[in-house]
Amino acid sequence: MKKPVIAIDGFSSTGKSSISKIIAEKLGIVHLDTGALYRGITWFALQNCLNEDGTINIEQLFSSFSLIELEFKNDTGELVLFMNHINISKEIRSNEVSNNVSLIAKQKEVRDFLLQSQRNLAEKGGIIMDGRDIGTVVLPNADFKFFLTASIDERTKRRYQELLGLGIEADENQVKENLIERDRIDSEREIAPLKKADDAIVIDNTMLTKKETIESILSHLKK
Ligand code: DC
C-alpha cells in the first residue's frame, strides 16, 4: 500500500516542523521542512550575492542558481538539506537569515527553482512536508492537509525559546516583530502566498501542547 503524502502549512512558529518530524517517526515516513530550502537560498545569497551596501542583489542571485547544488540526505527519517555538500542546518537559523528570508521566498524565480525538487520527493509517497504553500501549490493532491495557527504571543514565546536552545542570542520583542513582518510578507505575496487550502483541516494550537497537536493530527489520519 502506498504510504500517505501529508501537507502541513501554517504561520511561522506554530510548531509545524517539530510536529511533522515526530509524526514522520510515528508513521515510518520521511519529513521535509521546506522552509529550510528558502532559508538555504537566503544564506547562499548573503554569502555570495551582496551589493556594496550589504543588501542582497536579487538579479545576481537569479543568475547564480546554476552554482547551487541541493541534496537531501536521509538522517533517520529527516531529510537534511546539504547545499554544495555542506550541512547548513545551523547557519540557516540565524537572525540574519530570518530577517531576509521572506524577501527571497516571494521571488517567483526562487519558487520555480525549488518547486520540482519538492514535488519529486513526494512522488513515491511516504512523506510529510511542512511549509506555507504545500497544500495549495506544491502538493495540491496530498492525501491529508493541515493548516496550523496560534496566537502571536504564543508563537513569539516558542521562537524565542527555540533560538535560545540553539545558542542564538535574541530579543523577545524583535522576535515578535520579525514573525509579524514575515507572516505579512508571506501572506501578501503574489506567488504561492501563505493560505489555507480549501480542503485543509485547521488546528489552532495556542492552548495545545505539542503532544496534543500531534494527537489531533493523528486522529484525523486514522479516519
Ligand atoms: O518555516 P520557516 O520559518 O523556516 O520558513 C522560512 C521562510 O520561508 C518563511 O518566511 C516563508 C518561506 N517559506 C515559503 O515561502 N514557502 C514554504 N513552503 C516554506 C517556507
Side-chain angles (χ1 to χ4, degrees):
M1 201 179 79
K2 191 172 168 243
K3 289 186 173 176
V5 170
I6 305 169
I8 310 252
D9 291 301
F11 291 97
S12 302
S13 290
T14 44
K16 295 185 299 293
S17 292
S18 57
I19 285 164
S20 300
K21 187 173 174 203
I22 295 169
I23 291 176
E25 279 165 15
K26 284 189 188 287
L27 300 181
I29 60 178
V30 295
H31 166 231
L32 177 69
D33 160 14
T34 62
L37 296 170
Y38 295 92
R39 287 173 176 272
I41 301 291
T42 306
W43 180 77
F44 177 90
L46 289 167
Q47 301 294 309
N48 301 289
C49 311
L50 289 184
N51 293 310
E52 272 176 18
D53 64 0
T55 55
I56 292 174
N57 184 326
I58 292 284
E59 292 303 324
Q60 193 189 341
L61 172 64
F62 296 164
S63 55
S64 304
F65 284 155
S66 61
L67 306 175
I68 303 178
E69 193 187 327
L70 300 174
E71 269 171 292
F72 303 95
K73 295 200 182 166
N74 188 335
D75 177 10
T76 53
E78 183 66 17
L79 293 178
V80 180
L81 172 68
F82 279 66
M83 179 174 282
N84 298 336
H85 311 290
I86 303 171
N87 179 342
I88 52 171
S89 310
K90 177 131 197 270
E91 288 83 349
I92 60 173
R93 300 293 151 197
S94 71
N95 283 328
E96 207 190 3
V97 169
S98 295
N99 291 337
N100 287 283
V101 66
S102 280
L103 289 171
I104 297 300
K106 76 174 190 178
Q107 309 298 329
K108 181 178 189 309
E109 289 80 353
V110 171
R111 305 201 74 83
D112 287 348
F113 175 61
L114 295 174
L115 184 59
Q116 201 53 46
S117 38
Q118 294 174 79
R119 285 190 176 153
N120 291 346
L121 287 168
E123 241 170 26
K124 293 196 188 109
I127 191 164
I128 181 162
M129 251 190 225
D130 78 273
R132 304 295 189 291
D133 62 338
I134 308 303
T136 50
V137 174
V138 179
L139 305 174
N141 297 321
D143 299 308
F144 298 96
K145 299 180 185 179
F146 296 92
F147 190 87
L148 300 189
T149 177
S151 75
I152 181 68
D153 286 333
E154 183 57 34
R155 294 189 288 121
T156 301
K157 230 168 58 191
R158 292 177 192 166
R159 178 71 89 183
Y160 181 65
Q161 292 302 331
E162 182 191 7
L163 289 172
L164 290 190
L166 288 168
I168 296 172
E169 242 178 84
D171 170 273
E172 209 165 335
N173 265 327
Q174 250 178 342
V175 171
K176 184 172 178 173
E177 289 310 312
N178 175 263
L179 285 180
I180 293 173
E181 179 65 0
R182 224 139 49 83
D183 286 338
R184 188 186 64 74
I185 301 176
D186 292 341
S187 308
E188 291 177 0
R189 73 177 172 229
E190 228 169 284
I191 323 285
L194 162 61
K195 198 174 75 181
K196 181 187 106 56
D198 290 340
D199 50 352
I201 296 161
V202 180
I203 299 178
D204 180 334
N205 66 17
T206 309
M207 310 293 278
L208 300 182
T209 61
K210 193 184 282 185
K211 191 161 173 266
E212 287 167 334
T213 308
I214 291 166
E215 276 162 11
S216 167
I217 291 175
L218 289 174
S219 74
H220 286 287
L221 299 181
K222 283 186 198 128
K223 278 177 197 163

